[in-house]
Amino acid sequence: MFAAATLAILVTMGLALIRAFRGPTVYDRILAVNMFGTKTVLFIAVFGFLTGRPDFLDIALAYALINFISTVAVLKFFAYGDLDNTAATPDEGEDG
Amino acid sequence: MTMIVDVLSWVCLLAGGFLGISGGIGMLRFPDFFTRLHAAGVTDTLCAGLILLGLMMQAGWGLVAVKLFFIILFLSFTSPVAAHALARAALHGGLKPLLHKAEEDPSKP
Amino acid sequence: MVTVLGLYNYWIAIFLMMTGFYVVIAHGNLVKKIVGLNIFQVSVFILYISMGKVQGGSAPILAAGVTVYSNPLPHVLILTAIVVGVATTALALALVVRINEAYGTVEEDDIHSQDEPG
Amino acid sequence: MLLSFLAITAIAVVRLRDLFGVVMLFSIFSLLSAAIFVTLDAVDVAFTEAAVGAGISTVLMLATLALTARTEPPPRHGTLLPLLVVCVTGGALVYGTLDMPRFGDPQAPIHQHVAPRYLQDSPAEIGLPNVVTSVLASYRGYDTLGEITVIFTAGAGVLMLLGAGRRRTAHRDDDKDKRGSAMKHSLVLRVVAKILIPFVLLFALYVQFHGDFGPGGGFQAGVIFAAVFVLYTLIFGLKAARAVVSPRVLHVLSALGVLLFAGVGVAGLFAGGNFLDYSVLVRHPVAGQHLGILLIELGVGVTVAAVMIMFFYLFAGRTR
């Protein structure tokens, strides 16, 4: 049963990957990366059960957090990088 | 009792896997970014939640279940927020082709 | 068939390594070169880690009831290599930023052409 | 299957000309390789790769892109010659693999020498379940010290390159206003970040001190710690983050970690053992090993976290 779930996750990862390659806009790619990250979390969690050592969920947990951080970072940098290359200040979220 | 839990967890895992694949296909087939966001939302929340719930049932009470619970919690926190930020950035980012497409898209109100 | 399956991991590692190598020598953009170097680096990581895998083994964290463990030594080497790798990548990126400030471009050819007259 | 994904991603990275997309794909690439590390039993490595590849290095690359050009012009040279070189080299390497031991073969030479000793003796000598941590911090402590020094040196190098000579400190107000209206960061993001950050910090500490028993340790915890600060900086601004941890503190901390590491080694010398020999620190050798590894991991964590945050500050602050 875990194998089936793993397979499903792998297929989804593949689909997300295709979207990331094709993605016409940057946002599509970000979305695909985000989704891919979530799928990686799931994959690691399920794989731990598949191999019978489910103690390694820390990794999945770390992924879930880091993935969020990197998505936010990507969005922020993208927004500023695109606005004006020379005046890009990635640190003005608060006092704008 | 264990039988019921087993069956339930299998159902959860399979449903999660199915939702994952369907979300992936939607991700591939939908016409523009904002509709794709919906597909990705399905896989990020419900699919992940179901699969992790299924795993939790398999794990039984213990540290593993607590960790899984935390993963669910974090995912259910972060992925909608990420999706929100993404949609917002796409709207605000002055992405002309995208906004244009979104206006043309009949499925979007 | 057994040969192909048994060597598949090496071939992928070599393929990745060559991809990274190709990016480094064929592309002029310095950022892309760094990405290429990183791909190269990951290929080495994968080579090491896949060599450390033992069939039927488990992660080298001792637990009751597990007898076969994968080799922990490559893990240690690669673990530190990854962090060192990101540190060196940061150094390289810092250099790129400074080059961009000095020359106004990150294309290798443009930098060369700017250097030639002076 | 995952390996094939990896190869395809690599090709896509090569072909894509939009550098932003390249960085995105590179992030996927490192997520994939981390997943592969999990399947190959290297949980510690996967942990590190996850935190580093998906978090820090993506962010740093993006920061560089924000400072330089975003797209790459088409290549001006012919691509044939490099391709040829690559094919020849690759062919030679493939030929070389034909003699390599098969994947997962327990008889491979790599599994014959030191590894069995580590696996068999480390429970008695060090008493930690996580062999990777034992090897990292105790058996191969010298290596780790060297690597920490490399990281510290890289931090110093980046500091020299980017820290001094800031180009323009005055920033344009009209620009700021424009940005403020367009990208004022949403309330949702801020609230969630506020809720999330304490938990992540707690998690980083857990990783730091649980590394003896499960996957984790100083390297991973340091990177996660740094990632928290990256998140904080992204959402609340560089100024706020600098108020929390000032760059000066970071400089001191990054050196302090290395010193702590080396200091533990020297303490071993004074206690009558060898450099980095923890068994002599406390009367009971195993307890001494525990203490030594804990301290060393702490040193590693502090240095890695400080250097990573410093990288981020420097790259982010460069534009001001």
Side-chain angles (χ1 to χ4, degrees), chain D:
Chain D
M1 178 142 175
L2 279 171
L3 285 169
S4 313
F5 276 177
L6 204 61
I8 299 167
T9 315
I11 295 178
V13 166
V14 175
R15 294 193 56 86
L16 207 62
R17 196 144 284 144
D18 179 9
L19 286 175
F20 189 82
V22 167
V23 173
M24 289 289 75
L25 286 184
F26 188 70
S27 162
I28 287 192
F29 185 75
S30 69
L31 280 172
L32 256 178
S33 58
I36 289 172
F37 292 150
V38 172
T39 59
L40 294 174
D41 295 342
V43 278
D44 275 286
V45 181
F47 212 150
T48 321
E49 176 73 32
V52 166
I56 302 291
S57 73
T58 311
V59 169
L60 289 181
M61 282 192 180
L62 287 171
T64 313
L65 284 190
L67 293 173
T68 60
R70 258 203 63 201
T71 49
E72 176 189 29
R76 271 163 266 178
H77 307 296
T79 52
L80 207 60
L81 181 66
L83 208 59
L84 194 70
V85 172
V86 163
C87 284
V88 169
T89 323
L93 284 173
V94 167
Y95 178 69
T97 59
L98 294 180
D99 289 336
M100 295 283 279
R102 299 299 181 258
F103 174 68
D105 182 5
Q107 301 304 317
I110 180 174
H111 303 306
Q112 304 304 317
H113 294 296
V114 261
R117 185 188 173 288
Y118 287 153
L119 284 171
Q120 273 162 20
D121 295 347
S122 77
E125 282 176 7
I126 296 178
L128 293 183
N130 189 348
V131 184
V132 174
T133 306
S134 329
V135 177
L136 180 84
S138 187
Y139 292 114
R140 303 191 67 87
Y142 270 116
D143 288 12
T144 314
L145 179 59
E147 266 136 8
I148 279 295
T149 316
V150 170
I151 293 170
F152 175 68
T153 316
V158 175
L159 189 65
M160 277 169 67
L161 283 170
L162 293 184
R166 216 155 269 159
R167 268 186 317 167
R168 46 173 166 270
T169 43
H171 46 147
R172 289 172 279 175
D173 281 21
D174 51 334
D175 245 19
K176 206 167 117 188
D177 285 345
K178 198 168 68 183
R179 234 185 350 262
S181 59
M183 272 308 291
K184 186 161 184 186
H185 243 73
S186 63
L187 190 65
V188 177
L189 215 54
R190 236 181 291 168
V191 168
V192 167
K194 261 185 191 156
I195 297 171
L196 214 56
I197 282 174
F199 282 106
V200 187
L201 284 177
L202 199 64
F203 179 64
L205 287 177
Y206 165 78
V207 170
Q208 168 84 49
F209 294 112
H210 193 258
D212 308 353
F213 304 99
F219 283 101
Q220 292 92 334
V223 177
I224 293 174
F225 221 77
V228 177
F229 274 91
V230 170
L231 179 65
Y232 187 80
T233 313
L234 286 172
I235 291 178
F236 297 101
L238 195 59
K239 219 185 293 169
R242 279 201 172 130
V244 176
V245 179
S246 77
R248 190 163 296 279
V249 173
L250 287 180
H251 302 165
V252 173
L253 277 182
S254 61
L256 206 66
V258 181
L259 282 179
L260 180 62
F261 200 134
V264 172
V266 174
L269 272 184
F270 278 128
N274 291 322
F275 187 62
L276 290 175
D277 180 4
Y278 320 127
S279 302
V280 292
L281 288 177
V282 189
R283 190 162 306 131
H284 195 271
V286 175
Q289 291 282 357
H290 275 259
L291 181 68
I293 288 178
L294 208 64
L295 284 174
I296 284 212
E297 291 278 8
L298 189 65
V300 169
V302 167
T303 299
V304 170
V307 170
M308 295 295 156
I309 300 172
M310 199 159 79
F311 283 161
F312 181 70
Y313 276 6
L314 288 169
F315 274 97
R318 189 65 192 167
T319 46
R320 297 195 59 139

Side-chain angles (χ1 to χ4, degrees), chain B:
Chain B
M1 188 56 203
T2 44
M3 180 71 185
I4 299 171
V5 171
D6 260 6
V7 169
L8 263 179
S9 79
W10 288 350
V11 168
C12 278
L13 282 174
L14 284 185
F18 170 74
L19 283 174
I21 293 181
S22 59
I25 292 172
M27 184 86 172
L28 210 57
R29 294 288 308 275
F30 277 171
D32 83 331
F33 169 74
F34 291 99
T35 46
R36 278 179 210 133
L37 201 58
H38 293 178
V42 169
T43 68
D44 272 359
T45 50
L46 199 55
C47 154
L50 276 176
I51 287 183
L52 291 175
L53 199 67
L55 291 181
M56 252 166 103
M57 287 178 193
Q58 283 286 327
W61 289 111
L63 188 63
V64 173
V66 173
K67 280 181 189 166
L68 281 170
F69 176 72
F70 268 106
I71 295 178
I72 294 183
L73 200 69
F74 279 135
L75 276 184
S76 59
F77 253 116
T78 55
S79 60
V81 172
H84 162 85
L86 199 57
R88 206 183 152 88
L91 267 178
H92 276 293
L95 210 80
K96 288 124 212 158
L98 216 137
L99 279 174
H100 179 64
K101 246 193 254 168
E103 277 160 14
E104 272 185 359
D105 190 4
S107 68
K108 209 171 156 58

